[in-house]
Amino acid sequence: MKLSAAITVAAVSGAQAFTAPVNKPLRPASSLSVTQGDLDGAQSMIDGILTEKNCGPVFVRLAWHDSGTHDVSLADKEWPASGGAIGSIRFDPEINHGANAGLAGAIKLLEPVKEAFPGVSYADIFQMASARGIALAGGPEIDMKYGRVDATSPEECSPEGNLPDAEAGPEGKFGGPGGTASTEDESAAWHLRKPTPTEVEFGAEKTKFTDGSATKLADGSETTAYTAGGSPWVEDWLVFNNSYFTTINDASTDEELVKCTSDKCLWEDAGFAPYANKFADQEAFFESYAKAHKALSELGSKFEPVE
């Protein structure tokens, strides 16, 4: 997929598939109790969107950029002060943070799901779309928990700066003083240890892998039904597997594949390298990935019972 990784958690590319900014909330959060029937219906609709649009990568990126704002040092504050998977990414200013470029269109793709099942929170819809995107691309089934409560206003958005950089800025440092706490560091590895998911703000407008030509799906078939553009980490970017861990550290791979400093450091840092090497085995990667995805999807969330 158009994905990168940090520690055992893979993170989504900055493919510029969607660009329209959101300047106002879409639909208000619902106070209705969610039922299992609502969740089943929402999942069916999401599966249909994924099958038609092949938009799993941008749904994963949307969910992770919503949850990845979580600051564990604020977890003892009144919810939702610590950010996280609370659906706040749908609001301006958060949707217009630099790291979230292109994600407004992903929210619009999921808006019909909210309209059909208003009892399902945006936070649940975003995380469900991510998990289903992974599963339908051939990845592991994620043991998801639902019943998340939504943030209700722009005032509950996290400040800009909680998501990390893939490359150093003009002064040679990753991150900056913004956000709820500084993530600034001259080392990519130590910068990654401060935030959670990785995002990328550069890359080619399109490559031979993303120019609208046929690309492989998880079942072995090919499709041209995707939004062209962006730079992938791996050739078969609509298939979820462990090829990231066999590609990034291989100097002979195609020059159009993305290899960020924040990717390469996983094989260079003593703490990360054992995992990067371990995940050359797909079974080991899937086992760890499923646990990491579930944990990330619940960061900062407040849950109400599913009826």
Side-chain angles (χ1 to χ4, degrees):
M1 302 178 82
K2 299 181 185 177
L3 303 178
S4 181
I7 316 178
T8 61
V9 182
V12 194
S13 80
Q16 301 299 306
F18 303 101
T19 56
V22 170
N23 294 308
K24 60 182 180 179
L26 300 177
R27 289 172 56 89
S30 173
S31 60
L32 299 176
S33 297
V34 65
T35 68
Q36 188 59 52
D38 292 333
L39 292 170
D40 291 344
Q43 178 171 308
S44 179
M45 282 192 70
I46 287 170
D47 285 2
I49 295 169
L50 285 163
T51 300
E52 178 185 358
K53 303 288 187 181
N54 292 302
C55 52
V58 77
F59 282 174
V60 178
R61 181 171 169 242
L62 171 67
W64 285 11
H65 280 219
D66 192 38
S67 64
T69 60
H70 178 66
D71 185 342
V72 68
S73 70
L74 300 178
D76 60 345
K77 305 293 183 181
E78 184 178 357
W79 183 90
S82 65
I86 61 175
S88 60
I89 197 171
R90 74 191 193 277
F91 290 119
D92 178 29
E94 190 172 336
I95 189 60
N96 291 313
H97 290 173
N100 294 333
L103 292 178
I107 295 174
K108 290 179 181 178
L109 281 177
L110 291 169
E111 189 62 20
V113 182
K114 179 64 173 176
E115 292 173 356
F117 300 96
V120 183
S121 67
Y122 280 104
D124 273 355
I125 289 171
F126 298 162
Q127 298 304 321
M128 178 184 288
S130 174
R132 296 305 298 161
I134 295 295
L136 294 182
E141 294 282 346
I142 313 298
D143 180 23
M144 297 292 286
K145 178 180 179 181
Y146 294 112
R148 292 172 185 80
V149 178
D150 274 333
T152 59
S153 71
E155 288 69 34
E156 295 177 334
C157 290
S158 294
E160 186 163 14
N162 280 18
L163 295 171
D165 295 331
E167 295 291 349
E171 298 182 359
K173 293 183 178 181
F174 295 82
T180 54
S182 174
T183 62
E184 191 174 63
D185 206 290
E186 293 182 356
S187 162
W190 282 101
H191 170 60
L192 286 177
R193 286 184 169 92
K194 296 175 182 178
T196 306
T198 305
E199 51 84 16
V200 176
E201 299 175 355
F202 63 89
E205 182 177 347
K206 64 177 62 176
T207 70
K208 59 175 166 286
F209 305 110
T210 61
D211 61 1
S213 56
T215 190
K216 187 180 293 184
L217 295 174
D219 63 4
S221 64
E222 294 185 336
T223 185
T224 58
Y226 64 88
T227 301
S231 295
W233 276 255
V234 295
E235 294 185 13
D236 298 328
W237 54 270
L238 283 176
V239 179
F240 188 88
N241 55 30
N242 70 327
S243 56
Y244 170 90
F245 295 99
T246 60
T247 297
I248 299 299
N249 203 35
D250 182 353
S252 68
T253 53
D254 195 285
E255 63 181 11
E256 289 195 70
L257 297 178
V258 172
K259 293 186 179 184
C260 303
T261 300
S262 59
D263 297 316
K264 291 181 285 187
C265 78
L266 301 180
W267 280 264
E268 300 165 355
D269 180 86
F272 291 159
Y275 297 101
N277 291 316
K278 174 183 178 181
F279 295 153
D281 176 82
Q282 182 158 292
E283 183 177 353
F285 171 56
F286 274 20
E287 180 181 359
S288 290
Y289 177 86
K291 295 175 182 177
H293 187 127
K294 176 178 173 60
L296 184 58
S297 77
E298 297 176 7
L299 291 178
S301 297
K302 181 171 73 171
F303 292 92
E304 291 183 346
V306 175
E307 295 183 353

